[in-house]
Amino acid sequence: MPEPIEQKTETPPLPVELQKAHDGFLRYMALERERSEHTLRAYGSDIANLYAYAIPRGATTLAGLDLTLLRAWLMTLQESGLARATLARRSATIRSFLTWAVRENFIATNPAIRLKSPKREQRLPHILQNNQIERIFQPLPEAPGSPDAKTPEQSREQLALADRDKLILELLYATAIRVGELVSLDITDIDLDRRTLRVIGKGNKERTVPFGQPALNAVDDWMRRARPVLRTDDSGRALLLGRRGKRLDARQARQVVSDALAALGDTAARGPHALRHTAATHLLDRGADLRAVQEILGHSSLATTQLYTHVSVERLKDSYQKAHPRA
């Protein structure tokens, strides 16, 4: 019997005005607001989700996206079990989108100004203790001379990757930078004499972040004996390299951190942000100025940095409860 022909389902085109507004907003955010590709994908997904709800209900122009429809859309998302953070992001996207639409004369007023969304849950991040930080930087016993290394070349590669993984951990904790900022670093972004990094953060904003002697030692080991092992013609100026010599991507860096945290066995902390949270909290615990920590983290708002003061207070209360005889 002949095989059945697969039926392809095509997504119907959007109404002209909705498509034009969608494309124009993303172009504005990319060119004038310099948003990252990741952020642009999130914006596009949020707008597409609203359109998918609105069009079957007869809203084929931006004027049809009134407050009643927007509230019903958010209620539907909430009832589907969507996380509060996602609900908050989607409503914020639509407010920005329709504000832009007013400015571009697609609509006269922005109905989303009165749109309320659930507040984000203020979850205190998992923080590593001092002894856990010390342990995470201890080399794994199986890393050097792994039995999987069948040739001298493979052995050298494994040693180089071990140095690279240590550098990932050292820099993330020493500088509290984001993993995307880490993998974007070039060799020329490091000032070894001043022990600083030049970091390009969100919104293409540049900042200078200091680091300490342990991180400097890790950089030296990597540059002197490890990076040359992995370097190829495709390496360019990238500081961190993958096994094949190209710039390390964020997914690989996240996996390195996740594996290291999982190996501790006594923490719920996971991923690079755990090291960022830990570094910020440890700085504040030891008396660092809040605005200095804000600058190191690259936060545009001091309110975002203040989350870590709550973490520090919780740690203080925990110590008090354990130590004070009349707690």
Side-chain angles (χ1 to χ4, degrees):
M1 295 179 59
E3 295 184 2
I5 299 175
E6 181 180 352
Q7 299 294 324
K8 295 184 178 180
T9 304
E10 295 185 0
T11 303
L14 291 173
V16 174
E17 182 183 300
L18 296 186
Q19 185 68 64
K20 184 178 179 181
H22 171 276
D23 295 345
F25 176 70
L26 294 185
R27 186 163 51 250
Y28 163 76
M29 283 298 190
L31 299 179
E32 297 195 31
R33 300 298 296 275
E34 297 182 333
R35 294 296 188 255
S36 67
E37 290 186 13
H38 174 78
T39 301
L40 293 174
R41 284 195 298 271
Y43 286 155
S45 173
D46 294 342
I47 296 170
N49 186 275
L50 173 60
Y51 282 179
Y53 179 86
I55 292 173
R57 290 161 178 80
T60 57
T61 65
L62 292 188
L65 304 179
D66 57 22
L67 183 59
T68 300
L69 185 139
L70 294 177
R71 284 173 171 168
W73 168 64
L74 270 186
M75 182 61 68
T76 300
L77 294 178
Q78 189 169 7
E79 291 174 348
S80 71
L82 211 60
R84 285 187 182 184
T86 306
L87 289 172
R89 189 203 73 206
R90 287 192 172 174
S91 59
T93 296
I94 298 309
R95 275 193 292 272
S96 298
F97 172 51
L98 294 181
T99 297
W100 171 86
V102 170
R103 190 165 62 249
E104 296 298 318
N105 297 317
F106 281 96
I107 50 177
T109 60
N110 180 2
I113 291 176
R114 297 168 57 195
L115 184 66
K116 294 182 179 180
S117 59
K119 292 183 178 179
R120 294 175 180 265
E121 294 175 306
Q122 288 282 53
R123 295 180 181 176
L124 296 181
H126 292 289
I127 303 299
L128 295 173
Q129 304 299 317
N130 289 334
N131 69 321
Q132 292 171 323
I133 284 295
E134 292 300 322
R135 285 161 47 210
I136 202 174
F137 292 123
Q138 293 174 0
L140 296 175
E142 66 270 16
S146 168
D148 294 335
K150 298 181 174 61
T151 67
E153 289 77 11
Q154 290 174 327
S155 181
R156 284 195 295 271
E157 179 184 88
Q158 288 178 343
L159 289 169
L161 292 173
D163 279 345
R164 182 205 63 190
D165 294 351
K166 181 181 180 182
L167 179 58
I168 290 171
L169 298 171
E170 287 282 7
L171 284 180
L172 286 174
Y173 177 66
T175 64
I177 60 178
R178 303 174 180 92
V179 69
E181 296 169 344
L182 173 74
V183 298
S184 297
L185 289 173
D186 288 337
I187 295 172
T188 51
D189 292 326
I190 302 183
D191 187 330
L192 296 177
D193 294 330
R194 297 174 60 202
R195 291 198 309 207
T196 58
L197 294 179
R198 185 179 72 95
V199 180
I200 306 299
K202 290 185 176 181
N204 208 32
K205 294 179 180 178
E206 180 179 323
R207 68 186 190 277
T208 300
V209 182
F211 57 86
Q213 187 64 45
L216 179 64
N217 294 340
V219 171
D220 181 65
D221 288 343
W222 165 249
M223 294 298 297
R224 178 172 47 82
R225 72 187 186 194
R227 189 178 184 275
V229 175
L230 300 177
R231 186 181 58 213
T232 67
D233 291 340
D234 296 324
S235 299
R237 297 185 301 174
L239 174 64
L240 295 170
L241 305 177
R243 187 183 296 271
R244 297 181 180 177
K246 294 183 179 180
R247 182 183 295 274
L248 188 73
D249 66 37
R251 179 187 58 79
Q252 292 171 302
R254 288 191 190 95
Q255 190 62 53
V256 168
V257 179
S258 294
D259 290 346
L261 292 174
L264 290 177
D266 57 357
T267 178
R270 290 292 181 269
H273 240 61
L275 293 180
R276 179 171 163 86
H277 292 317
T278 299
T281 304
H282 287 180
L283 283 168
L284 290 169
D285 282 347
R286 288 159 177 78
D289 178 75
L290 186 62
R291 289 200 176 274
V293 175
Q294 176 191 4
E295 179 66 23
I296 289 171
L297 295 174
H299 287 159
S300 57
S301 169
L302 189 63
T304 307
T305 314
Q306 285 175 328
L307 167 65
Y308 299 102
T309 65
H310 301 318
V311 175
S312 293
V313 169
E314 290 301 315
R315 287 160 62 88
L316 181 63
K317 287 168 61 178
D318 182 60
S319 297
Y320 179 87
Q321 292 291 337
K322 289 178 180 178
H324 198 287
R326 295 181 69 84

